[in-house]
Amino acid sequence: MSNAEIARHLDRLADLSEIGGDNPFRVRAYRNAAATLRDLETPVEDLVAAGADLTQVKGIGKEIAEKVRTLVQTGSMPQLVALEQEVPPGLLEVVKVKGVGPKQAATLWKALGVTSVDELEAAAKDGRITSLPGFGAKKVANILRGIESYRRNTGRVLLGQVDAVLDRLLTHLRAVPGVRRLEVAGSYRRRKETVGDIDIVAVADDPAALSDALTSYDEVAAVLGKGETKTSVELGSGLQVDLRVVAEESFGGALLYFTGSKEHNVQLRQRALERGWHLNDYGLFEGGEPGRERKGGRLLASATEDEIYARLGLAFIPPELRQGRGEVEAAAEGALPALIEPGDVRGDLHMHTTWSDGRDSLVAMVDACVALGYEYMAITDHSGSLALQGGLDDEKLRRQHAELAEVMAGRDDITVLRGMEVDILKDGSLDVTDEQLANLDVVLVSVHSFFELPEAQQTERVVRALLHPRVNVYAHPLGRQLGQRDPIALDLDAVFAACRENRVAVEHNASPRRLDLPDVHLRAAAQAGLKVFIGTDAHSVRGLGAMGLGVSQARRAWLTADDVVNTRPLAEVLAFLAKR
Ligand code: DGT
Ligand code: CA
Ligand code: CA
Ligand code: ZN
């Protein structure tokens, strides 16, 4: 059982306990333990097998250590099984609806028998909910909107979360004897911000053995189908995996087809048709009837994607660009951009430490950035008004800078810029003192409150902040959290104009929950001539690993290394940050 799987059990325990009305401290302890174990490098399985004392892991007490040990040894957690009898698991979906917290879900369940999102909707629509204390008409309208958004997002998993579970599965499958090729296609390969399911294309000498390896994988919750060429399973996390085994000579055709997107495929097929050919998941053919029939006509290309693109008169199109947004035309004209690569990044200028709401110390973050090979970095803890996040007042910032000086004394393995993520207040003024500004090398600004302002007011607020003479970067511009919080209403043209006028870069926030600016807007920002910073917004050492995810979104936005400031050497970054 992987650490991610153990963490999922603890999170489920936390969620069900919370709805069941358990002590909030215990609920929080479960959640913290889940986060810790998810981050832990060493497999907990190994620790348990070695008889190690799990309470040595920070944040794991005796009670949780015992639960985890039982889970690893027996495959289940008795307390969780008992809770699942007591609290209907459908309520775990109900609390995913925006506007419904665990306490309210419990009320709805006990008073009205609501145990699913469908029942919640029915109760909201027929007026039963408004009979409950604390559920007014406004609240109900809110819940109905929440249900709509829940349905839009449901069934999709964050790309960053998939990364965490997929590597282990791929390693398992590639180890099967006789597997010649095994690649992930679909939205995952295109690095779409959320994925509906995982599509794997493989070539294997013994397809049955590969299929068995998938269905017997320890994290499989259900086998959805098992045939000669296609096997589908559902993992414990709810993620569906489709495996297709194809002949070696048609691997390129299959990989191209199942990578998509549908829009991209349609354009390629159109191009084939214009030449009197046809393209399907077996490859590119001349003659025969166009359509789904197999191997009609003479084979032109099929073993590799390169070959197929070349035969169509196209440069190879990187999967991130396969969205049907002009990439086929650009490939025909030899005008594809030289996309930014992960290795281009020289530093990360957005991260938090234990000085505000981060989980790792300043020195741990510095060491981790050195280990990543960065030339420079910035520590950007929150400003004062975010008391919840432990924002920095003048005194705290001074102490942080003193600690930084101490940490860096006698070492020159990285340059650490003194930064801050400054909160934009409701009226667009900045939550920062002159003393703080005087002592900062880089100033990020961002919205953390009043997400619901109407567009005109929200835009005015943000633009005012961006025109402040000391601002360098507008961080997580739309404030969205995938599946959790909608983007703020903002006139991006006006925001981009303000950025340009005051030499402010926009951030692409690489945190797996945010990926903000979204790719389409990021592309527009670069086209508007803005500079981009990719920042991880890491709240732990592990969070720094999100840089690759951010780069993949930048690639989806057609960005080159030149568009991104933190691919430049330090001197150029400093020149950009030094305002007039
Ligand atoms: P997802 O899973 O919803 O995140 O998105 P995809 O793009 O992975 O879609 P999926 O899993 O339904 O199918 C994988 C690829 O297979 C898709 O990107 C293109 C190709 N494909 C599947 N069905 C069709 C189809 O009906 N027409 C065309 N042209 N391509 C298809
Ligand atoms: Ca898919
Ligand atoms: Ca699929
Ligand atoms: Zn923030």
Side-chain angles (χ1 to χ4, degrees):
M1 185 174 288
S2 68
N3 290 0
E5 183 88 346
I6 296 168
R8 251 181 356 83
H9 278 84
L10 285 168
D11 273 332
R12 194 174 166 85
L13 186 64
D15 293 345
L16 286 171
S17 309
E18 193 170 21
I19 298 169
D22 202 346
N23 170 345
F25 292 101
R26 181 167 311 143
V27 171
R28 177 139 15 110
Y30 294 151
R31 289 224 169 88
N32 289 344
T36 303
L37 293 184
R38 200 172 274 120
D39 274 6
L40 200 66
E41 299 273 332
T42 323
V44 174
E45 229 171 33
D46 295 356
L47 292 176
V48 169
D53 179 6
L54 293 179
T55 61
Q56 293 302 307
V57 178
K58 198 177 111 197
I60 309 287
K62 237 173 108 187
E63 186 195 316
I64 294 179
E66 201 38 54
K67 287 186 167 65
V68 169
R69 183 183 311 282
T70 308
L71 174 64
V72 169
Q73 285 170 342
T74 68
S76 87
M77 219 184 245
Q79 294 84 351
L80 183 56
V81 175
L83 258 176
E84 282 167 343
Q85 300 304 316
E86 193 187 311
V87 181
L91 290 173
L92 292 177
E93 295 303 306
V94 172
V95 295
K96 286 187 194 156
V97 173
K98 246 177 284 172
V100 184
K103 278 214 187 76
Q104 290 156 325
T107 307
L108 290 162
W109 165 41
K110 286 173 186 153
L112 302 176
V114 166
T115 62
S116 70
V117 175
D118 287 344
E119 287 166 12
L120 173 67
E121 185 178 28
K125 284 191 168 156
D126 66 18
R128 270 179 296 148
I129 291 192
T130 35
S131 67
L132 298 178
F135 288 86
K138 202 171 156 197
K139 175 87 191 158
V140 172
N142 217 345
I143 289 177
L144 284 171
R145 248 183 294 127
I147 292 175
E148 235 174 76
S149 137
Y150 164 86
R151 295 225 166 98
R152 257 198 320 276
N153 294 307
T154 194
R156 300 196 68 81
V157 183
L158 301 185
L159 182 59
Q161 283 176 351
V162 178
D163 278 333
V165 296
L166 204 58
D167 281 354
R168 189 166 168 271
L169 172 63
L170 296 179
T171 306
H172 172 75
L173 295 178
R174 286 185 177 128
V176 174
V179 171
R180 294 167 182 272
R181 301 294 310 267
L182 192 128
E183 298 295 336
V184 184
S187 51
Y188 179 82
R189 184 168 181 234
R190 302 196 311 278
R191 308 308 283 158
K192 204 172 149 160
E193 59 197 25
T194 62
V195 304
D197 67 5
I198 298 297
D199 307 281
I200 298 177
V201 181
V203 175
D205 294 339
D206 184 354
L210 180 56
S211 167
D212 289 345
L214 177 59
T215 55
S216 64
Y217 182 57
D218 62 1
E219 283 177 23
V220 166
V223 176
L224 306 173
K226 196 169 180 189
E228 283 272 296
T229 55
K230 186 177 169 192
T231 302
S232 295
V233 300
E234 188 177 310
L235 301 183
S237 55
L239 189 65
Q240 184 178 331
V241 179
D242 295 341
L243 167 70
R244 289 182 181 81
V245 183
V246 304
E248 187 144 38
E249 62 272 16
S250 49
F251 182 74
L255 186 61
L256 181 63
Y257 179 85
F258 291 111
T259 296
S261 67
K262 240 168 237 174
E263 294 74 15
H264 180 77
N265 287 355
V266 166
Q267 293 181 16
L268 292 184
R269 262 204 311 276
Q270 185 58 34
R271 199 172 165 88
L273 287 178
E274 283 160 12
R275 286 157 178 72
W277 306 334
H278 68 272
L279 178 66
N280 61 28
D281 49 329
Y282 286 78
L284 184 63
F285 298 88
E286 181 174 40
E289 294 298 304
R292 288 281 316 158
E293 89 296 343
R294 325 236 129 162
K295 303 207 177 193
R298 184 170 69 92
L299 181 64
L300 297 176
S302 68
T304 67
E305 289 185 329
D306 274 291
E307 231 172 71
I308 299 172
Y309 279 118
R311 203 70 172 77
L312 287 169
L314 300 172
F316 177 84
I317 301 179
E320 295 92 333
L321 291 185
R322 300 183 194 172
Q323 307 172 48
R325 296 194 185 129
E327 72 278 8
V328 175
E329 292 84 342
E333 290 159 15
L336 286 174
L339 297 179
I340 177 174
E341 309 264 355
D344 293 331
V345 173
R346 294 179 192 238
D348 187 346
L349 299 183
H350 189 170
M351 70 191 71
H352 301 266
T353 71
T354 44
W355 280 97
S356 64
D357 59 347
R359 281 196 279 135
D360 285 313
S361 66
L362 191 153
V363 63
M365 296 302 271
V366 171
D367 289 342
C369 285
V370 170
L372 286 168
Y374 289 155
E375 263 175 61
Y376 49 82
M377 60 186 285
I379 300 287
T380 56
D381 278 305
H382 289 286
S383 59
S385 80
L386 292 180
L388 256 181
Q389 276 91 347
L392 303 178
D393 55 20
D394 287 353
E395 159 64 14
K396 244 175 124 182
L397 187 68
R398 242 177 287 138
R399 283 194 287 123
Q400 183 187 50
H401 289 171
E403 179 177 313
L404 176 60
E406 208 171 292
V407 164
M408 295 311 294
R411 67 191 274 189
D412 60 357
D413 46 1
I414 194 165
T415 299
V416 185
L417 303 182
R418 298 168 306 168
M420 191 181 249
E421 181 179 5
V422 176
D423 194 37
I424 301 177
L425 300 174
K426 188 182 180 192
D427 65 354
S429 60
L430 296 185
D431 175 36
V432 69
T433 65
D434 290 342
E435 176 179 346
Q436 291 178 336
L437 277 179
N439 289 310
L440 293 173
D441 305 312
V442 51
V443 177
L444 277 52
V445 294
S446 54
V447 168
H448 295 102
S449 59
F450 302 101
F451 302 105
E452 307 283 341
L453 295 182
E455 179 172 315
Q457 198 184 340
Q458 192 70 275
T459 303
E460 198 186 315
R461 168 196 190 189
V462 168
V463 164
R464 181 174 168 213
L466 295 175
L467 293 178
H468 187 288
R470 292 294 303 270
V471 170
N472 301 117
V473 183
Y474 179 37
H476 51 74
L478 292 180
R480 71 155 178 187
Q481 291 186 9
L482 291 158
Q484 308 275 324
R485 187 193 295 144
D486 289 333
I488 56 176
L490 210 55
D491 174 353
L492 276 179
D493 290 334
V495 166
F496 292 167
C499 286
R500 227 183 358 249
E501 183 179 331
N502 195 27
R503 205 171 65 189
V504 172
V506 287
E507 177 182 69
H508 172 71
N509 189 294
S511 155
R513 308 207 145 273
R514 291 188 182 271
L515 298 181
D516 179 13
L517 278 175
D519 49 20
V520 182
H521 301 303
L522 189 57
R523 188 174 175 190
Q527 279 170 342
L530 298 191
K531 288 293 174 199
V532 173
F533 269 100
I534 305 177
T536 59
D537 200 355
H539 283 69
S540 65
V541 164
R542 180 188 152 102
L544 293 166
M547 185 59 81
L549 197 60
V551 169
S552 68
Q553 300 308 297
R555 290 170 63 87
R556 284 176 60 85
W558 295 55
L559 299 196
T560 66
D562 278 343
D563 296 317
V564 176
V565 184
N566 51 317
T567 65
R568 314 321 299 164
L570 177 64
E572 276 180 50
V573 175
L574 293 176
F576 178 84
L577 296 175
K579 311 220 19 161
R580 283 176 282 279

